[in-house]
Amino acid sequence: MLKKLFDRAFGRKPATSPANAPGTQASAKVDAVAINLQVIARDGHCISRKHISPNALRVLYKLRDAGFTAYLVGGAVRDLLLQGLPKDFDVATNAHPEQVKHLFRNCRLIGRRFRLAHVHYGAEIIEVATFRGIEDDGSGARELVDGRIVRDNVYGTIEEDAVRRDFTVNALYYAIDDYSVRDYVGGFQDVRDRVLRLIGEPTRRLREDPVRMLRTARFAAKLGFSIDPAIVSAISQLKDLLNAAPAARLFDECLKMFMAGYALASFRQLWQLRLFEVLFPETALALRADPADLVLLETALTSTDQRIADDKPVTPAFLFAALLWPAVKVMAARNQQRGAEDPWDDAIHSVVSEQTSRIALPKRFSLPMQEIWSLQSRFETRQKKRVGRLLAHPRFRAAFDFLALRAHADPTLQPTLAFWLSLASGEAAASASTLGDLPTAADGEALSPPKKRRRRRRKPRLDANQTAGAGDHDAG
Ligand code: ATP
Ligand code: MG
C-alpha cells in the first residue's frame, strides 16, 4: 500500500533529466552552491493541476500571458509531492512587484523587509514573490546586520532565487507550461528521502537568519522528516543567536509550531535540538526539575492538536498559559520562600515581562493568560459567596479547563476538580470541556465526591454552546 502511494507520488521511474533550459548550466555554482537542474517531467511526479488552487493557476497563467515566467514554488510543491493539502499557494516570478500590481487589480504590495505582491481572491491570498538575487547591487536594497539579512529586495534569476531559499525541499518549482517540476538543488530526492537539508553551508545559512533553526524543528515536526546531521550540529553551535531574533517573528513562529496541528511533535523537536530552552528558558529549567510539569505541557499540546484535528477553535492564551505555567510555579515558590507578600502575582508579572520581551505575545493573549493563572488559587475556596463569584467569572471556563489540565498532571488536585465539576453541572461540563478527552473528575471512580452539594441561588450554566477550550478564551 505504502509502496503504491509512493509510486503514485513520485512516478514509477523518477523521470528526471538534466537541464537544457536556456541560461541554465547543468552544473554551475551560484553563491557557492552547486546548481544541477533536474527537470522532472509530468509522468515522473504526482502533481496534478486539479490539486492546485484555481486562483493560483489564474495568477500563473496571467503572468505567463503577459510575457513573464512564473512558477508555483515552496511549500505547495513540496506538500503536493507528499500528497498533502497545501496550506497556501506561493508563486515566484521574474516580474517585479510593481509589474505584478499593474497586472492584477486585486493586488496589494506588502512588506518592507521582503517586498511581496498579494493577489486577493476573497479569503484566499496568492503570494507572488519576485526571484531574489544573490549579488548586492549596492543600492541598499539588501541590508545585513551582523551577518543577518534584515532586508532583501535584490532581484535576480530563478537559480539565484532557488539558492536563497532555506531547505532543498522548499526550493522546487512547478511549471504550468509543461507541468514539470524543476529542481535546482536536489530537493526532489530529499522529499523522497524525507530529509531536511539546508541549501548551502548550514552555519552560514543559520547565521543569516537564525529563525531557520525554528523552521528546522517545525518542518521536521510537520512533515515527519529527518534532519541532516550537519544542521543539527550547526544548531548546537548557534542556538543562542535566536536571542537576537525579533520578538514579533518569534511569536509568529510559535503560532506556526504550536497552533497548526503538530504542537506536540514541534515541542519534542525543539526540546531535542535544545531550542526550547532558548525560547522558554525558565520553563525548560522547571521541566527538568519536575517531570509532572512535562505531563501538563504535553497534555496541553496533545489536546490542542486534537482540537485542531476536530476543527475546534484554539487560542494562544491557553497554550501560552500551559507553556509558561511551570515557570510561574517555580518563581512563585521562590517568592514564597523569600516571604513575598503576593508570591503568585509577583511571579506572574515577572514571567510575563521576561517572556514578552523575548517572544512578543500580544496583550489580547497575555491578559487572558494571566487571568487563567490568577484564578487558579481561587479554586481552593469553598466559601459560598466566593464560589458563586468564581463561577460567574467570564474567564471561569478557561480557568476551569486549566485546572483540569493541572489535575491530570497532579492527582492531588482531583478532589478540587471534582468539586468544581459537580458545581458546574457535571456531564454537560465534561462533554463541553477542552479537555473532554482527558480523564477528568467526571469519569474517575477513584475521585472522592464533593462532600456536600451546596445550594446556590443561581445555577451556573455550562452548556454545549458555551464551548470551552484553547480557542474559546480569547479575550480579543
Ligand atoms: P507551510 O506549508 O508551513 O507554510 P512553507 O514552505 O510554505 O510551509 P512559508 O513560511 O510559507 O513555508 O515560506 C514559503 C517559502 O518561502 C518556503 O518554502 C521557502 O522556500 C521560503 N522561505 C520562507 N522563509 C524563509 C527563510 N527564513 N529563509 C529562506 N527561505 C524562506
Ligand atoms: Mg506557506
Side-chain angles (χ1 to χ4, degrees):
M1 177 67 188
L2 261 178
K3 164 121 186 29
K4 236 161 121 189
L5 271 176
F6 194 81
D7 285 345
R8 200 143 50 84
F10 291 99
R12 250 153 258 282
K13 6 178 204 21
T16 61
S17 63
N20 50 9
T24 307
Q25 290 153 351
S27 293
K29 279 205 164 181
V30 174
D31 203 25
V33 176
I35 296 283
N36 192 2
L37 174 61
Q38 301 286 312
V39 178
I40 299 104
R42 175 64 192 91
D43 60 353
H45 65 75
C46 66
I47 300 180
S48 147
R49 267 170 307 160
K50 65 175 189 281
H51 298 130
I52 299 175
S53 142
N55 293 325
L57 290 172
R58 241 169 242 139
V59 170
L60 289 166
Y61 284 119
K62 194 158 181 179
L63 282 163
R64 186 193 63 178
D65 294 347
F68 298 107
T69 49
Y71 300 89
L72 193 65
V73 68
V77 181
R78 177 200 70 215
D79 291 349
L80 287 169
L81 283 175
L82 291 165
Q83 308 224 304
L85 279 181
K87 197 160 58 61
D88 38 43
F89 290 85
D90 297 334
V91 167
T93 178
N94 63 351
H96 283 201
E98 292 71 24
Q99 292 172 309
V100 180
K101 183 160 172 56
H102 192 71
L103 269 182
F104 297 91
R105 269 190 309 135
N106 45 337
C107 172
R108 260 184 241 144
L109 299 188
I110 59 139
R112 203 184 62 85
R113 256 170 25 95
F114 295 98
R115 197 142 180 78
L116 295 168
H118 274 180
V119 186
H120 291 251
Y121 293 95
E124 190 181 15
I125 296 176
I126 307 297
E127 191 166 284
V128 183
T130 306
F131 296 145
R132 305 274 156 203
I134 296 298
E135 295 300 328
D136 188 348
D137 57 8
S139 67
R142 173 170 301 144
E143 204 182 314
L144 277 95
V145 175
D146 299 336
R148 264 183 314 124
I149 298 179
V150 293
R151 198 154 92 93
D152 190 357
N153 290 313
V154 176
Y155 303 127
T157 62
I158 187 170
E159 291 82 1
E160 291 176 320
D161 186 80
V163 304
R164 292 228 57 77
R165 290 178 183 271
D166 48 4
F167 300 99
T168 58
V169 296
N170 285 350
L172 294 165
Y173 297 76
Y174 173 82
I176 35 148
D177 290 333
D178 57 1
Y179 316 123
S180 66
V181 171
R182 302 170 76 84
D183 174 11
Y184 295 85
V185 287
F188 190 76
Q189 187 58 41
D190 287 343
V191 174
R192 301 181 103 182
D193 296 342
R194 306 180 67 83
V195 61
L196 284 177
R197 222 184 286 282
L198 277 164
I199 301 167
E201 207 279 302
T203 55
R204 182 180 147 210
R205 298 310 309 281
L206 296 182
R207 269 183 210 285
E208 234 174 48
D209 180 6
V211 173
R212 288 178 187 147
M213 296 190 234
L214 300 183
R215 290 175 64 82
T216 305
R218 176 159 85 83
F219 288 121
K222 170 178 166 151
L223 306 170
F225 279 20
S226 64
I227 305 171
D228 172 15
I231 304 182
V232 176
S233 102
I235 289 178
S236 71
Q237 284 170 49
L238 302 175
K239 62 183 164 55
D240 292 331
L241 292 182
L242 259 189
N243 285 316
R249 257 192 101 196
L250 293 185
F251 176 67
D252 287 348
E253 280 305 316
C254 280
L255 292 191
K256 289 185 188 169
M257 288 187 290
F258 296 125
M259 310 285 287
Y262 43 89
L264 181 66
S266 293
F267 166 71
R268 290 186 172 162
Q269 285 293 343
L270 288 175
W271 188 264
Q272 223 160 1
L273 293 167
R274 306 201 63 165
L275 293 170
F276 188 79
E277 63 201 49
V278 185
L279 291 178
F280 300 96
E282 295 296 332
T283 301
L285 280 176
L287 291 182
R288 289 215 168 84
D290 184 357
D293 284 334
L294 189 62
V295 175
L296 178 143
L297 182 52
E298 293 209 338
T299 306
L301 298 172
T302 306
S303 144
T304 303
D305 288 344
Q306 188 57 50
R307 286 184 66 84
I308 290 168
D310 296 342
D311 227 1
K312 292 182 182 164
V314 289
T315 174
F318 195 86
L319 179 83
F320 274 81
L323 280 166
L324 295 170
W325 176 249
V328 172
K329 255 178 39 181
V330 168
M331 190 88 67
R334 225 179 282 152
N335 292 344
Q336 225 147 13
Q337 269 176 1
R338 280 195 298 118
E341 208 171 296
D342 262 327
W344 283 95
D345 270 6
D346 294 353
I348 289 172
H349 283 125
S350 50
V351 167
V352 167
S353 77
E354 201 284 326
Q355 195 66 46
T356 48
S357 67
R358 191 178 290 273
I359 299 175
L361 181 64
K363 278 224 161 60
R364 68 180 188 282
F365 302 129
S366 69
L367 292 178
M369 171 183 81
Q370 291 176 67
E371 269 186 306
I372 291 171
W373 291 337
S374 303
L375 291 178
Q376 295 307 303
S377 62
R378 288 172 55 183
F379 284 117
E380 282 153 27
T381 190
R382 294 290 181 273
Q383 246 184 39
K384 194 172 166 183
K385 228 186 196 160
R386 291 193 179 169
V387 166
R389 242 186 271 141
L390 182 49
L391 285 167
H393 194 287
R395 202 69 64 194
F396 171 77
R397 187 68 223 206
F400 172 80
D401 281 341
F402 200 77
L403 174 68
L405 185 63
R406 290 172 57 214
H408 184 63
D410 175 3
T412 66
L413 290 171
Q414 287 288 350
T416 310
L417 181 67
F419 171 78
W420 287 95
L421 193 63
S422 71
L423 288 184
S425 68
E427 296 209 349
S431 64
S433 171
T434 324
L435 304 169
D437 41 342
L438 293 179
T440 59
D443 45 31
E445 307 104 61
L447 303 173
S448 52
K451 287 200 180 73
K452 189 174 161 199
R453 195 162 172 133
R454 289 165 192 270
R455 281 180 43 197
R456 276 159 285 125
R457 202 171 294 174
R458 191 163 65 85
K459 195 173 175 191
R461 282 192 42 228
L462 280 177
D463 54 36
N465 296 329
Q466 198 177 346
T467 51
D472 307 310
H473 315 304
D474 179 359

Short mmCIF file of all heavy atoms in Angstrom, two decimals, residues 176-208:
data_model
loop_
_atom_site.label_atom_id
_atom_site.label_comp_id
_atom_site.label_asym_id
_atom_site.label_seq_id
_atom_site.Cartn_x
_atom_site.Cartn_y
_atom_site.Cartn_z
N ILE A 176 3.78 25.65 -15.26
CA ILE A 176 2.48 25.37 -15.89
C ILE A 176 2.61 25.13 -17.40
O ILE A 176 1.69 24.68 -18.04
CB ILE A 176 1.45 26.51 -15.67
CG1 ILE A 176 2.16 27.84 -15.66
CG2 ILE A 176 0.58 26.28 -14.47
CD1 ILE A 176 1.36 28.94 -16.19
N ASP A 177 3.78 25.46 -17.97
CA ASP A 177 3.96 25.27 -19.41
C ASP A 177 3.97 23.80 -19.78
O ASP A 177 3.29 23.37 -20.70
CB ASP A 177 5.28 25.90 -19.86
CG ASP A 177 5.18 27.41 -19.80
OD1 ASP A 177 4.05 27.91 -19.93
OD2 ASP A 177 6.22 28.06 -19.61
N ASP A 178 4.78 23.04 -19.05
CA ASP A 178 4.91 21.62 -19.39
C ASP A 178 4.60 20.72 -18.19
O ASP A 178 4.84 19.53 -18.23
CB ASP A 178 6.33 21.33 -19.91
CG ASP A 178 7.40 21.73 -18.90
OD1 ASP A 178 7.02 22.21 -17.80
OD2 ASP A 178 8.59 21.56 -19.19
N TYR A 179 4.09 21.30 -17.12
CA TYR A 179 3.71 20.56 -15.91
C TYR A 179 4.89 19.81 -15.28
O TYR A 179 4.72 18.80 -14.62
CB TYR A 179 2.54 19.59 -16.18
CG TYR A 179 1.46 20.23 -17.01
CD1 TYR A 179 1.05 19.66 -18.23
CD2 TYR A 179 0.87 21.42 -16.60
CE1 TYR A 179 0.08 20.28 -19.00
CE2 TYR A 179 -0.10 22.04 -17.38
CZ TYR A 179 -0.49 21.47 -18.58
OH TYR A 179 -1.44 22.08 -19.35
N SER A 180 6.08 20.31 -15.51
CA SER A 180 7.25 19.66 -14.92
C SER A 180 7.57 20.30 -13.56
O SER A 180 7.09 21.38 -13.24
CB SER A 180 8.46 19.83 -15.84
OG SER A 180 8.81 21.20 -15.91
N VAL A 181 8.38 19.57 -12.80
CA VAL A 181 8.93 20.14 -11.56
C VAL A 181 10.40 20.42 -11.82
O VAL A 181 11.12 19.55 -12.33
CB VAL A 181 8.76 19.16 -10.37
CG1 VAL A 181 9.53 19.66 -9.15
CG2 VAL A 181 7.29 18.99 -10.03
N ARG A 182 10.83 21.62 -11.52
CA ARG A 182 12.22 22.00 -11.74
C ARG A 182 12.93 22.04 -10.40
O ARG A 182 12.50 22.70 -9.47
CB ARG A 182 12.30 23.36 -12.46
CG ARG A 182 11.55 23.31 -13.79
CD ARG A 182 11.41 24.68 -14.39
NE ARG A 182 12.64 25.15 -14.99
CZ ARG A 182 13.04 24.86 -16.22
NH1 ARG A 182 12.29 24.06 -16.97
NH2 ARG A 182 14.16 25.35 -16.70
N ASP A 183 14.04 21.29 -10.36
CA ASP A 183 14.75 21.10 -9.10
C ASP A 183 16.21 21.51 -9.30
O ASP A 183 16.94 20.85 -10.03
CB ASP A 183 14.63 19.61 -8.71
CG ASP A 183 15.46 19.27 -7.49
OD1 ASP A 183 15.96 20.19 -6.81
OD2 ASP A 183 15.60 18.06 -7.20
N TYR A 184 16.62 22.58 -8.65
CA TYR A 184 17.98 23.11 -8.84
C TYR A 184 18.98 22.60 -7.81
O TYR A 184 20.17 22.67 -8.00
CB TYR A 184 17.95 24.65 -8.78
CG TYR A 184 17.17 25.26 -9.92
CD1 TYR A 184 15.80 25.42 -9.84
CD2 TYR A 184 17.83 25.63 -11.10
CE1 TYR A 184 15.07 25.95 -10.89
CE2 TYR A 184 17.11 26.17 -12.16
CZ TYR A 184 15.73 26.31 -12.05
OH TYR A 184 15.03 26.84 -13.11
N VAL A 185 18.47 22.16 -6.66
CA VAL A 185 19.39 21.86 -5.55
C VAL A 185 19.16 20.50 -4.89
O VAL A 185 19.57 20.26 -3.75
CB VAL A 185 19.29 22.98 -4.47
CG1 VAL A 185 19.95 24.26 -4.94
CG2 VAL A 185 17.84 23.23 -4.06
N GLY A 186 18.52 19.59 -5.62
CA GLY A 186 18.37 18.22 -5.10
C GLY A 186 17.18 18.02 -4.16
O GLY A 186 17.11 17.03 -3.42
N GLY A 187 16.24 18.93 -4.19
CA GLY A 187 15.09 18.84 -3.27
C GLY A 187 14.17 17.66 -3.56
O GLY A 187 13.59 17.09 -2.64
N PHE A 188 14.06 17.28 -4.86
CA PHE A 188 13.13 16.20 -5.22
C PHE A 188 13.57 14.90 -4.54
O PHE A 188 12.77 14.19 -3.93
CB PHE A 188 13.09 16.04 -6.74
CG PHE A 188 12.00 15.13 -7.22
CD1 PHE A 188 10.68 15.56 -7.26
CD2 PHE A 188 12.28 13.84 -7.64
CE1 PHE A 188 9.65 14.72 -7.70
CE2 PHE A 188 11.27 12.99 -8.09
CZ PHE A 188 9.95 13.44 -8.11
N GLN A 189 14.87 14.63 -4.61
CA GLN A 189 15.38 13.42 -3.97
C GLN A 189 15.23 13.52 -2.44
O GLN A 189 14.91 12.54 -1.77
CB GLN A 189 16.86 13.22 -4.34
CG GLN A 189 17.45 11.89 -3.86
CD GLN A 189 16.70 10.67 -4.41
OE1 GLN A 189 16.30 10.64 -5.58
NE2 GLN A 189 16.47 9.68 -3.55
N ASP A 190 15.41 14.72 -1.91
CA ASP A 190 15.28 14.88 -0.45
C ASP A 190 13.84 14.70 0.01
O ASP A 190 13.60 14.21 1.11
CB ASP A 190 15.84 16.24 0.00
CG ASP A 190 17.37 16.26 -0.04
OD1 ASP A 190 17.98 15.17 -0.10
OD2 ASP A 190 17.96 17.36 -0.02
N VAL A 191 12.87 15.07 -0.85
CA VAL A 191 11.47 14.78 -0.50
C VAL A 191 11.28 13.26 -0.47
O VAL A 191 10.68 12.71 0.46
CB VAL A 191 10.46 15.42 -1.50
CG1 VAL A 191 9.03 14.98 -1.18
CG2 VAL A 191 10.54 16.93 -1.46
N ARG A 192 11.85 12.57 -1.45
CA ARG A 192 11.74 11.10 -1.47
C ARG A 192 12.40 10.50 -0.25
O ARG A 192 11.91 9.54 0.33
CB ARG A 192 12.45 10.50 -2.69
CG ARG A 192 11.95 10.98 -4.00
CD ARG A 192 12.72 10.28 -5.09
NE ARG A 192 11.88 9.24 -5.66
CZ ARG A 192 12.26 8.41 -6.61
NH1 ARG A 192 13.49 8.47 -7.08
NH2 ARG A 192 11.44 7.52 -7.08
N ASP A 193 13.56 11.06 0.13
CA ASP A 193 14.28 10.51 1.29
C ASP A 193 13.74 11.04 2.61
O ASP A 193 14.22 10.66 3.67
CB ASP A 193 15.77 10.86 1.19
CG ASP A 193 16.43 10.22 -0.02
OD1 ASP A 193 15.85 9.26 -0.56
OD2 ASP A 193 17.51 10.69 -0.43
N ARG A 194 12.81 11.97 2.50
CA ARG A 194 12.21 12.58 3.69
C ARG A 194 13.27 13.16 4.63
O ARG A 194 13.34 12.84 5.80
CB ARG A 194 11.31 11.59 4.42
CG ARG A 194 10.24 10.97 3.51
CD ARG A 194 9.35 9.98 4.23
NE ARG A 194 8.53 10.64 5.21
CZ ARG A 194 7.38 11.24 4.94
NH1 ARG A 194 6.91 11.24 3.71
NH2 ARG A 194 6.68 11.83 5.88
N VAL A 195 14.10 14.00 4.05
CA VAL A 195 15.17 14.61 4.85
C VAL A 195 15.20 16.13 4.63
O VAL A 195 14.98 16.61 3.51
CB VAL A 195 16.54 13.95 4.52
CG1 VAL A 195 16.93 14.12 3.07
CG2 VAL A 195 17.65 14.51 5.40
N LEU A 196 15.44 16.85 5.71
CA LEU A 196 15.59 18.31 5.62
C LEU A 196 17.06 18.65 5.50
O LEU A 196 17.87 18.27 6.35
CB LEU A 196 15.09 18.98 6.92
CG LEU A 196 13.61 19.09 7.15
CD1 LEU A 196 13.35 19.72 8.51
CD2 LEU A 196 12.97 19.94 6.05
N ARG A 197 17.39 19.37 4.44
CA ARG A 197 18.79 19.76 4.22
C ARG A 197 18.77 21.24 3.86
O ARG A 197 17.97 21.67 3.01
CB ARG A 197 19.31 18.98 3.02
CG ARG A 197 20.69 18.43 3.14
CD ARG A 197 21.10 17.77 1.84
NE ARG A 197 20.44 16.49 1.62
CZ ARG A 197 20.81 15.37 2.23
NH1 ARG A 197 21.81 15.37 3.08
NH2 ARG A 197 20.18 14.25 1.97
N LEU A 198 19.60 22.02 4.54
CA LEU A 198 19.68 23.44 4.17
C LEU A 198 20.45 23.57 2.87
O LEU A 198 21.35 22.77 2.58
CB LEU A 198 20.39 24.23 5.27
CG LEU A 198 19.54 24.67 6.46
CD1 LEU A 198 20.42 25.08 7.63
CD2 LEU A 198 18.59 25.80 6.08
N ILE A 199 20.11 24.58 2.10
CA ILE A 199 20.83 24.84 0.85
C ILE A 199 22.10 25.62 1.23
O ILE A 199 22.01 26.65 1.88
CB ILE A 199 19.95 25.67 -0.11
CG1 ILE A 199 18.66 24.91 -0.42
CG2 ILE A 199 20.73 26.00 -1.39
CD1 ILE A 199 17.59 25.75 -1.10
N GLY A 200 23.25 25.09 0.83
CA GLY A 200 24.50 25.79 1.17
C GLY A 200 25.01 25.36 2.54
O GLY A 200 24.53 24.39 3.13
N GLU A 201 25.97 26.12 3.00
CA GLU A 201 26.67 25.76 4.23
C GLU A 201 25.78 26.09 5.44
O GLU A 201 25.40 27.25 5.64
CB GLU A 201 27.98 26.55 4.27
CG GLU A 201 29.07 25.87 5.05
CD GLU A 201 28.90 26.12 6.53
OE1 GLU A 201 28.87 27.30 6.91
OE2 GLU A 201 28.75 25.14 7.29
N PRO A 202 25.41 25.07 6.26
CA PRO A 202 24.41 25.30 7.31
C PRO A 202 24.74 26.44 8.28
O PRO A 202 23.86 27.23 8.58
CB PRO A 202 24.34 23.96 8.04
CG PRO A 202 24.77 22.96 7.02
CD PRO A 202 25.77 23.65 6.15
N THR A 203 25.98 26.54 8.75
CA THR A 203 26.23 27.60 9.75
C THR A 203 26.02 28.98 9.13
O THR A 203 25.46 29.88 9.75
CB THR A 203 27.64 27.53 10.39
OG1 THR A 203 28.58 27.55 9.35
CG2 THR A 203 27.81 26.30 11.23
N ARG A 204 26.42 29.11 7.88
CA ARG A 204 26.23 30.40 7.22
C ARG A 204 24.74 30.72 7.05
O ARG A 204 24.28 31.82 7.32
CB ARG A 204 26.92 30.38 5.86
CG ARG A 204 26.79 31.70 5.16
CD ARG A 204 27.47 31.70 3.81
NE ARG A 204 26.72 32.57 2.93
CZ ARG A 204 26.63 32.41 1.64
NH1 ARG A 204 27.23 31.42 1.03
NH2 ARG A 204 25.92 33.24 0.93
N ARG A 205 23.98 29.72 6.64
CA ARG A 205 22.54 29.95 6.41
C ARG A 205 21.79 30.24 7.71
O ARG A 205 20.83 30.97 7.73
CB ARG A 205 21.91 28.74 5.70
CG ARG A 205 22.46 28.40 4.32
CD ARG A 205 22.54 29.56 3.35
NE ARG A 205 21.37 30.37 3.14
CZ ARG A 205 20.33 30.05 2.37
NH1 ARG A 205 20.31 28.91 1.72
NH2 ARG A 205 19.30 30.87 2.23
N LEU A 206 22.26 29.62 8.81
CA LEU A 206 21.58 29.87 10.08
C LEU A 206 21.98 31.22 10.67
O LEU A 206 21.19 31.89 11.31
CB LEU A 206 21.87 28.74 11.08
CG LEU A 206 21.35 27.36 10.68
CD1 LEU A 206 21.64 26.33 11.77
CD2 LEU A 206 19.84 27.38 10.42
N ARG A 207 23.24 31.61 10.43
CA ARG A 207 23.65 32.95 10.89
C ARG A 207 22.88 34.03 10.15
O ARG A 207 22.46 35.01 10.73
CB ARG A 207 25.14 33.17 10.58
CG ARG A 207 26.05 32.76 11.68
CD ARG A 207 27.50 33.10 11.28
NE ARG A 207 28.40 32.18 11.88
CZ ARG A 207 28.73 32.21 13.16
NH1 ARG A 207 28.24 33.14 13.95
NH2 ARG A 207 29.55 31.33 13.66
N GLU A 208 22.69 33.80 8.85
CA GLU A 208 21.97 34.75 8.01
C GLU A 208 20.56 35.00 8.55
O GLU A 208 20.06 36.11 8.55
CB GLU A 208 21.79 34.09 6.63
CG GLU A 208 22.26 34.84 5.46
CD GLU A 208 22.13 33.95 4.22
OE1 GLU A 208 21.08 33.31 3.98
OE2 GLU A 208 23.13 33.86 3.50
#
